[in-house]
Amino acid sequence: MAETSTSTDTRPSVSAGIGGGRRRDRAAGPPLRKPRWPKAYAFALVTGAFFLLSWLGQFFFQLVVQRNEASQDGQAFAWSEYLPQFLASTFENWQSEFLQLIWQAAGLALFYYWGSSQSRESDERIEAKLDALLRERNLDPENP
């Protein structure tokens, strides 16, 4: 069944885990270590890589379009005209994306706070479920 360590036994205690498996007690094992930097920030690194790739793609394809339009009009390509246009389109995209994100986050939080029908499960309903579970286990819900 379960082994426990005694005062003369220096082995870490092992107890039966879920499903009959064995698990090591957290106190007996080595202390938790922080993950290495790339693993700890993997999501941010991947998100940053996606951001840079998409921004470079926008830069490249918008550059191609600008050069093609300049050649069709018989004009020379000018970086002084391209960079402001690129930055304006970048900020326009960011503005629409951040506006959408802020609306989703703030709007959902506001609706959750107001208790909209999509996000509400009333306190009375939750309490009734808990009372039913307690009664099912022969516990008094009024006197825990």
Side-chain angles (χ1 to χ4, degrees):
M1 287 286 195
E3 299 174 22
T4 58
S5 60
T6 62
S7 60
T8 58
D9 190 5
T10 58
R11 294 181 298 161
S13 65
V14 178
S15 59
I18 298 173
R22 294 177 168 246
R23 69 172 174 81
R24 184 178 285 235
D25 286 341
R26 178 55 53 203
L32 292 176
R33 283 198 252 151
K34 289 174 69 174
R36 292 181 168 233
W37 190 85
K39 187 173 184 178
Y41 296 101
F43 183 77
L45 292 172
V46 170
T47 303
F50 282 147
F51 167 75
L52 288 176
L53 287 173
S54 65
W55 202 29
L56 288 172
Q58 177 188 351
F59 179 84
F60 174 74
F61 289 114
Q62 192 169 348
L63 179 67
V64 169
V65 168
Q66 184 73 19
R67 285 188 175 194
N68 288 342
E69 287 178 359
S71 68
Q72 287 175 354
D73 294 339
Q75 300 174 349
F77 173 77
W79 284 101
S80 62
E81 292 177 14
Y82 171 70
L83 288 177
Q85 182 182 3
F86 171 71
L87 292 175
S89 65
T90 296
F91 291 131
E92 188 177 305
N93 288 340
W94 288 356
Q95 180 183 13
S96 67
E97 293 299 325
F98 285 123
L99 182 64
Q100 179 183 358
L101 178 69
I102 288 170
W103 165 246
Q104 286 178 351
L108 288 174
L110 187 65
F111 286 146
Y112 183 77
Y113 175 75
W114 284 342
S116 72
S117 61
Q118 286 82 13
S119 64
R120 183 187 349 203
E121 182 159 358
S122 68
D123 290 340
E124 295 85 20
R125 184 173 176 194
I126 292 172
E127 287 181 23
K129 288 179 181 181
L130 286 173
D131 289 344
L133 287 171
L134 288 171
R135 278 192 292 279
E136 183 180 290
R137 287 168 178 75
N138 295 327
L139 298 171
D140 184 13
E142 299 300 322
N143 190 11

